[in-house]
Amino acid sequence: MGFRAGQLRYFVAGAEDGQITRAARRLHIAQPALSQAVSQLEAELGIILFERHARGVSLTHAGEQFLEKARV
């Protein structure tokens, strides 16, 4: 399974920051671009990685497991 360059980095940044907006700022990209990349990654994997909340995101159980692999 191939991922676009940056998708894993974007996912890890979102997981570490707990907010897509903050992660996008840190990565110097637009927030909609980061959201779209993460949504596309979720679609390719067929799993939901983040639970979206008004104040940020948190990892689902599947997201926690994927984070360990993504960091490698």
Side-chain angles (χ1 to χ4, degrees):
M1 178 179 315
F3 302 112
R4 280 185 326 142
Q7 279 182 310
L8 296 179
R9 186 168 51 107
Y10 294 170
F11 165 69
V12 171
E16 290 175 349
D17 289 341
Q19 288 186 340
I20 297 298
T21 302
R22 190 181 319 154
R25 202 174 5 217
R26 180 165 59 103
L27 294 167
H28 305 288
I29 63 170
Q31 178 271 325
L34 179 55
S35 293
Q36 184 178 17
V38 171
S39 293
Q40 185 176 14
L41 178 62
E42 290 176 321
E44 289 174 12
L45 293 170
I47 58 174
I48 301 300
L49 299 170
F50 288 118
E51 291 181 17
R52 280 111 171 132
H53 310 285
R55 296 240 174 229
V57 294
S58 59
L59 289 171
T60 62
H61 179 69
E64 290 174 4
Q65 292 178 328
F66 189 73
L67 181 60
E68 294 175 22
K69 293 175 176 58
R71 283 185 168 147
V72 174

